[in-house]
Amino acid sequence: MNEQKIVDVENRLMANVFAKKPVVITRGRAALVWDVNGKEYVDCTSGYGVALLGHCHPRIVEAISKQAQQLITCHAGYYNDKRAEFLQKLTSITPKGLNKAFLSNSGAESVECALKLARKHMGKPEIIAVMGAFHGKTMGALSATWDKKYREPFQPLVPEIKHVPPDNLEKMREAIGEKTAAVLVEPIRGEGGIRVPPDGYLKGLRDICDEKGVLLMFDEVQTGFGRTGKFFACEHWGVVPDVLCLAKPLAGGLPLGATIAREEVMSSLKLGDHSTTYSGNPLVCAAGCAAIDVLLEENVAGKAAALGAYFISNLEKLREKHKSVKEVRGLGLMIGMESKFGVLNVLLKCMEQGILVLDAGKTVVRFLPPFVITREQIDKVISVLDNVLEEEENARASGASPN
Ligand SMILES: Cc1ncc(COP(=O)(O)O)c(C=O)c1O
């Protein structure tokens, strides 16, 4: 199919729920992707954080190819070698005490499991999330997501899920009541604009949850697996949740979600309480095993920390130079640059110049590059952004910019 045909077919035959960018991506390697015409892009999106290990990491490709010849699918009603291996590897890297997992296929599903687990374990219905949170778009996860543009068309949502202001321990303490089962937060809010909590917030949440006897659940779908410079973002503050939700990069690009809890908590889910046909699919688990090997052996977290610091320091220079840049924030390779204006034009102009970046809300440019991005590639991103910001500022000064 040629470029135009591909675009036409997707527009005609696929639900129009994605804000499509006008580019057809057909190939990827490490931190680069190429479009159908062979044009190269530095990928600072990683497919919304999935390709943290880089596109087509050789060890992931090898693991998938090998397993595909052996066994692709095996329902969790039967035992499987790759699933067992993956579970061992996974629970060897999760924070202490989190040692029993339910495997699923996406971030939203990992949250769904956490919500059901909290209600079942506690025998209480209420979940408290925070304003600005994003936990996915299936009905349960959506009920914990904050943005009303996602929620309103689908009312009524799952009841007894409420939101309190983020980073505010007093409001959280006040909100927890008799019927509260759990508190659910992202350690660093991603979609909400890359918001790093103040020191002491997560520890404070842990203390409040302990005091009130409710579960603390961390959604690390975006922050987990080394992206922020630690295996899990909660480790920056030394806080261990009762339930941890993972997905995105967990299987090096294949769909895999995991909800991991302390044994005594996960054991509240009894036979038939929860399931998915693909749970712990061998192909995906083989990729997951390879992904954890890469995480450990290639120092993903350490490199994310160093490259992130380099990236952020260069973005800070742009902030000093460009009046439109309000703030730069983030940890490791999870970075946001807040603008005084809408950033859609910045995204599109960067793309024209061979850089893929994301937004996080209307005014934040979000960078989620793979850990294999090079310093030279980061320099290129900075230099393109420098030009684009200047163009945008000039266009705005002359009244020409539309967003
Ligand atoms: C923190 C967080 N939780 C959950 C999700 C939902 O994941 P998925 O899109 O795989 O359902 C996302 C996706 O961006 C996310 O960032």
Side-chain angles (χ1 to χ4, degrees), residues 65-207:
S65 314
K66 216 165 137 198
Q67 185 62 32
Q69 322 255 348
Q70 176 81 20
L71 184 66
I72 292 177
T73 194
C74 172
H75 190 268
Y78 297 90
Y79 296 94
N80 173 259
D81 56 342
K82 275 298 154 189
R83 189 185 302 126
E85 189 184 335
F86 176 69
L87 285 165
Q88 266 188 338
K89 283 184 192 271
L90 178 65
T91 52
S92 77
I93 59 164
T94 45
K96 200 158 170 270
L98 301 184
N99 54 11
K100 199 149 179 150
F102 176 80
L103 300 180
S104 57
N105 315 285
S106 69
E109 269 187 89
S110 72
V111 171
E112 291 294 332
C113 177
L115 298 175
K116 285 179 69 176
L117 178 58
R119 284 187 170 180
K120 184 85 195 303
H121 180 70
M122 299 295 292
K124 296 173 179 189
E126 188 179 77
I127 311 290
I128 304 178
V130 300
M131 296 165 181
F134 185 85
H135 297 292
K137 294 185 186 170
T138 54
M139 278 307 233
L142 179 63
S143 307
T145 287
W146 166 249
D147 196 331
K148 71 173 191 284
K149 79 170 180 280
Y150 298 140
R151 298 161 54 88
E152 266 183 5
F154 304 101
Q155 305 281 1
L157 297 174
V158 175
E160 308 278 13
I161 299 184
K162 67 182 184 190
H163 295 83
V164 300
D167 304 339
N168 186 326
L169 291 171
E170 269 328 294
K171 294 277 184 213
M172 184 61 84
R173 183 189 293 279
E174 282 167 22
I176 296 175
E178 286 296 298
K179 59 183 183 174
T180 308
V183 166
L184 171 67
V185 297
E186 300 156 83
I188 299 170
R189 296 196 303 291
E191 294 287 318
I194 312 292
R195 308 276 172 181
V196 182
D199 284 343
Y201 177 65
L202 296 183
K203 171 75 170 59
L205 281 185
R206 180 70 275 175
D207 291 345

Side-chain angles (χ1 to χ4, degrees), residues 78-359:
Y78 297 90
Y79 296 94
N80 173 259
D81 56 342
K82 275 298 154 189
R83 189 185 302 126
E85 189 184 335
F86 176 69
L87 285 165
Q88 266 188 338
K89 283 184 192 271
L90 178 65
T91 52
S92 77
I93 59 164
T94 45
K96 200 158 170 270
L98 301 184
N99 54 11
K100 199 149 179 150
F102 176 80
L103 300 180
S104 57
N105 315 285
S106 69
E109 269 187 89
S110 72
V111 171
E112 291 294 332
C113 177
L115 298 175
K116 285 179 69 176
L117 178 58
R119 284 187 170 180
K120 184 85 195 303
H121 180 70
M122 299 295 292
K124 296 173 179 189
E126 188 179 77
I127 311 290
I128 304 178
V130 300
M131 296 165 181
F134 185 85
H135 297 292
K137 294 185 186 170
T138 54
M139 278 307 233
L142 179 63
S143 307
T145 287
W146 166 249
D147 196 331
K148 71 173 191 284
K149 79 170 180 280
Y150 298 140
R151 298 161 54 88
E152 266 183 5
F154 304 101
Q155 305 281 1
L157 297 174
V158 175
E160 308 278 13
I161 299 184
K162 67 182 184 190
H163 295 83
V164 300
D167 304 339
N168 186 326
L169 291 171
E170 269 328 294
K171 294 277 184 213
M172 184 61 84
R173 183 189 293 279
E174 282 167 22
I176 296 175
E178 286 296 298
K179 59 183 183 174
T180 308
V183 166
L184 171 67
V185 297
E186 300 156 83
I188 299 170
R189 296 196 303 291
E191 294 287 318
I194 312 292
R195 308 276 172 181
V196 182
D199 284 343
Y201 177 65
L202 296 183
K203 171 75 170 59
L205 281 185
R206 180 70 275 175
D207 291 345
I208 293 172
C209 288
D210 287 346
E211 183 191 312
K212 303 257 186 185
V214 305
L215 295 178
L216 178 60
M217 311 202 291
F218 284 163
D219 177 347
E220 293 234 23
V221 165
Q222 195 166 146
T223 53
F225 216 68
R227 171 158 300 281
T228 70
K230 301 271 187 197
F231 286 176
F232 304 100
C234 59
E235 291 168 344
H236 287 286
W237 296 277
V239 178
V240 179
D242 301 299
V243 181
L244 178 69
C245 299
L246 300 176
K248 289 196 191 281
L250 196 51
L254 291 192
L256 176 58
T259 312
I260 307 125
R262 282 182 287 112
E263 156 124 45
E264 103 212 42
V265 176
M266 190 55 88
S267 300
S268 293
L269 288 183
K270 306 285 185 215
L271 205 58
D273 273 347
H274 197 53
S275 66
T276 163
T277 309
Y278 294 118
S279 185
N281 173 289
L283 186 71
V284 175
C285 283
C289 288
I292 293 175
D293 291 346
V294 172
L295 177 75
L296 297 172
E297 291 164 28
E298 299 187 20
N299 187 22
V300 172
K303 285 182 188 153
L307 289 163
Y310 181 73
F311 209 141
I312 289 174
S313 71
N314 280 291
L315 286 173
E316 282 292 354
K317 287 183 199 148
L318 290 188
R319 185 184 59 75
E320 281 159 22
K321 181 170 169 194
H322 293 277
K323 286 201 182 70
S324 65
V325 180
K326 245 167 89 176
E327 195 182 19
V328 175
R329 46 185 187 249
L331 259 183
L333 289 173
M334 181 173 181
I335 304 168
M337 186 184 81
E338 171 124 35
S339 166
K340 290 183 182 146
F341 312 112
V343 294
L344 183 61
N345 269 353
V346 172
L347 263 55
L348 293 173
K349 284 186 173 159
C350 281
M351 197 176 80
E352 275 167 25
Q353 298 185 44
I355 306 292
L356 300 184
V357 291
L358 289 168
D359 48 0

Side-chain angles (χ1 to χ4, degrees), residues 54-66:
H55 291 279
C56 299
H57 190 292
R59 293 174 75 172
I60 303 290
V61 173
E62 192 196 343
I64 294 173
S65 314
K66 216 165 137 198

